[in-house]
Amino acid sequence: MPRAIALVDCNNFYVSCERVFQPKLEGKPVVVLSNNDGCVVSRSQEVKDLGMKMAVPWYQMKDLAKRHGIISFSSNYTLYADLSNRVMSLLSRFSPNQEVYSIDESFLDLTGITTDHTAYGQEIRRTIRQCVGIPVCVGIAPSKTLAKLANHVAKKKPRFGSVCDFSSMSATELDALLASVEVGEVWGVGRRTAPKLQEIGIRTVLDLKRAPAKQLGARFSVVFERIVEELNGVACLELDDVAPAKQQIICSRSFGTLTSLLADLEQAVIAYATRAAEKLRQQHSMAGGIQVYIRTSPHREQDPQYQQAILMPLHEPTDDTRLLCHAALHGLRQIYRSGYAYQKAGVMLSEIIPASARPRTLFDDVAAQQKSSALMQTLDRINNRMGSGTLKLLGEGTDTRWAMRRQNISQQYTTEWNELAVCRI
């Protein structure tokens, strides 16, 4: 039975999330900014048409924004994550085998589904649009690499109606289409590799499809050999039903304002260690060490510069927020130096193992471990139900002067009771 893989990708996802609860933004130029409102990380099609590139510093775009009435939003990650979860949950109904690839992309295995795949893709689009309000494009093909490419074509060529099925095309029609797409659009071909391919005459996707796989593998890497095979319809990449557990968990942010106070750094490190511990428990893991780092701004050359990190090994692997924060604070106090204007801090959990693989000894305090597990479960359950940060350690504080700037953040329409959308009839 021929294999069929679909890639469903949300269009301009962060911008689309903002438009769900503010329909007046439809048709208007909208951007969403990165941490501290620094760079553009999501653009509406109207903004793309104006020539604004991704990741450009927002302060450089102020004049363009004023001329064209571009509306900017600070990143509202809580809202985006919640809407992403709703989209992925709906997509799981369309296939027994799903791989959530990113916050706005998901692979679905459509093999064995007898319904016309283009019509099925349109049904997926209608369902997501109606139930969540997010527009999506669907690419369908015999392999993941081709499905990614089909999705790109679905976005860029209006004649496909946002759903492109490579399997429905003749070989001649497909090759003509691939000849019109630059090789840099292929999944796995980076910005540095594309010019190297062009130097040896591989300029389009069709050129890469017809290239000798073994020779490219020897010249670049075995990955390229697989890419060529996938472009020829040979599935080399399987769908991952469950994402592998992370071996490192990092949580860091640049501060909204510079700070030289140890108290501010302590609050930040506790906040980051708390978020990291939540992620650790979500994947049912424990950490054997935690690294803390702080640094000044490398862009402020007029200021004294300092950066330092320290790895704090733990007595035993744990997922307890309190123990992780205690170790992080102990490390922070060792590397902190007064007299510097700090711009960033962060933590990294390492030596991560499955919770079920925690080593046992004769000296384990089983009662204390059970109390810790029960407390963390209660903490997570309340925060998941009532909103992140409803319960937190006192040391995280409430006067977070160091927190990142988000001057134009929208409401958390789906996760905060006092910010729910209001309908007036």
Side-chain angles (χ1 to χ4, degrees):
M1 181 180 295
R3 196 180 189 202
I5 302 296
L7 176 66
V8 184
D9 185 10
C10 302
N11 300 344
N12 313 319
F13 181 57
Y14 291 175
V15 168
S16 294
C17 290
E18 299 292 349
R19 285 174 166 172
V20 168
F21 297 96
Q22 300 189 63
K24 64 184 180 180
L25 298 175
E26 291 287 349
K28 295 183 179 180
V30 180
V31 298
V32 174
L33 307 177
S34 64
N35 295 339
N36 291 311
D37 296 341
C39 300
V40 175
V41 294
S42 184
R43 303 161 294 162
S44 67
Q45 187 59 50
E46 295 79 11
V47 172
K48 295 176 183 179
D49 293 340
L50 293 173
M52 183 180 290
K53 302 298 183 183
M54 184 70 87
V56 295
W58 179 237
Y59 76 89
Q60 295 180 359
M61 297 291 107
K62 290 294 182 67
D63 290 340
L64 180 67
K66 188 174 181 179
R67 286 200 306 271
H68 297 281
I70 297 175
I71 302 167
S72 66
F73 287 93
S74 304
S75 295
N76 188 342
Y77 296 121
T78 304
L79 175 65
Y80 308 153
D82 186 65
L83 292 186
S84 172
N85 290 336
R86 296 174 189 228
V87 170
M88 299 309 166
S89 177
L90 282 171
L91 289 178
S92 68
R93 303 178 185 178
F94 289 91
S95 171
N97 192 1
Q98 176 188 22
E99 177 189 340
V100 178
Y101 180 66
S102 68
I103 192 172
D104 61 348
E105 293 178 281
S106 181
F107 287 103
L108 301 175
D109 191 347
L110 304 185
T111 305
I113 293 177
T114 56
T115 305
D116 177 78
H117 287 163
T118 299
Y120 200 62
Q122 292 294 352
E123 183 182 349
I124 291 173
R125 291 187 64 247
R126 285 192 297 271
T127 301
I128 301 302
R129 185 67 164 176
Q130 180 180 1
C131 296
V132 186
I134 300 293
V136 303
C137 285
V138 183
I140 305 168
S143 69
K144 291 173 74 173
T145 302
L146 279 176
K148 264 274 200 180
L149 199 60
N151 187 281
H152 169 77
V153 172
K155 281 186 176 181
K156 298 299 182 182
K157 298 186 181 296
R159 65 187 175 92
F160 288 100
S162 299
V163 177
C164 179
D165 181 7
F166 280 174
S167 302
S168 67
M169 302 179 185
S170 66
T172 302
E173 183 183 5
L174 179 58
D175 283 353
L177 183 60
L178 298 183
S180 68
V181 181
E182 294 182 358
V183 70
E185 298 297 340
V186 175
W187 187 32
V189 176
R191 288 179 295 177
R192 294 182 180 180
T193 309
K196 296 179 181 178
L197 290 173
Q198 292 168 359
E199 289 175 1
I200 59 176
I202 300 177
R203 295 180 174 82
T204 69
V205 178
L206 182 61
D207 293 335
L208 183 57
K209 176 184 176 182
R210 292 176 173 174
K214 295 289 185 182
Q215 291 183 21
L216 283 180
R219 179 163 184 165
F220 294 100
S221 70
V222 70
V223 173
F224 267 85
E225 189 173 337
R226 297 193 189 117
I227 289 174
V228 175
E229 295 288 348
E230 287 249 326
L231 290 177
N232 282 279
V234 179
C236 302
L237 305 173
E238 297 298 326
L239 264 66
D240 295 325
D241 293 321
V242 180
K246 296 179 180 178
Q247 297 305 302
Q248 292 180 333
I249 295 177
I250 300 173
C251 189
S252 67
R253 292 285 187 275
S254 294
F255 300 147
T257 57
L258 301 180
T259 182
S260 58
L261 301 177
L262 176 60
D264 287 345
L265 294 176
E266 288 177 336
Q267 288 185 2
V269 165
I270 290 175
Y272 301 155
T274 298
R275 300 293 91 76
E278 290 173 351
K279 295 178 181 179
L280 187 69
R281 292 192 292 273
Q282 286 172 3
Q283 67 176 36
H284 307 291
S285 298
M286 292 186 169
I290 183 168
Q291 184 185 62
V292 183
Y293 71 89
I294 52 177
R295 78 173 193 197
T296 56
S297 173
H299 304 294
R300 293 177 60 87
E301 297 179 357
Q302 71 275 21
D303 292 348
Q305 297 295 308
Y306 176 76
Q307 63 176 3
Q308 190 57 268
I310 186 171
L311 176 62
M312 303 299 295
L314 301 171
H315 176 65
E316 59 182 3
T318 186
D319 62 1
D320 191 312
T321 298
R322 299 167 301 169
L323 299 178
L324 292 168
C325 287
H326 178 78
L329 287 177
H330 186 59
L332 171 66
R333 290 161 185 162
Q334 291 187 52
I335 61 175
Y336 169 76
R337 299 291 182 272
S338 62
Y340 294 96
Y342 292 99
Q343 183 248 352
K344 189 173 186 178
V347 301
M348 180 180 73
L349 303 183
S350 59
E351 302 176 39
I352 293 176
I353 61 172
S356 59
R358 177 182 180 178
R360 306 292 180 182
T361 73
L362 293 174
F363 305 100
D364 285 347
D365 188 338
V366 177
Q369 292 173 2
Q370 291 175 343
K371 288 182 179 179
S372 169
S373 178
L375 178 60
M376 292 301 107
Q377 289 177 16
T378 302
L379 180 68
D380 291 339
R381 186 166 58 249
I382 292 174
N383 284 335
N384 288 336
R385 182 176 180 180
M386 305 303 294
S388 178
T390 299
L391 288 182
K392 58 186 179 181
L393 298 186
L394 180 62
E396 191 173 333
T398 56
D399 182 18
T400 51
R401 293 167 294 178
W402 47 269
M404 64 180 179
R405 291 190 304 273
R406 295 196 291 180
Q407 296 177 341
N408 298 319
I409 190 169
S410 55
Q411 294 174 214
Q412 296 182 28
Y413 296 100
T414 62
T415 56
E416 292 290 341
W417 285 107
N418 60 345
E419 296 186 14
L420 294 178
V422 177
C423 179
R424 294 182 175 87
I425 301 177

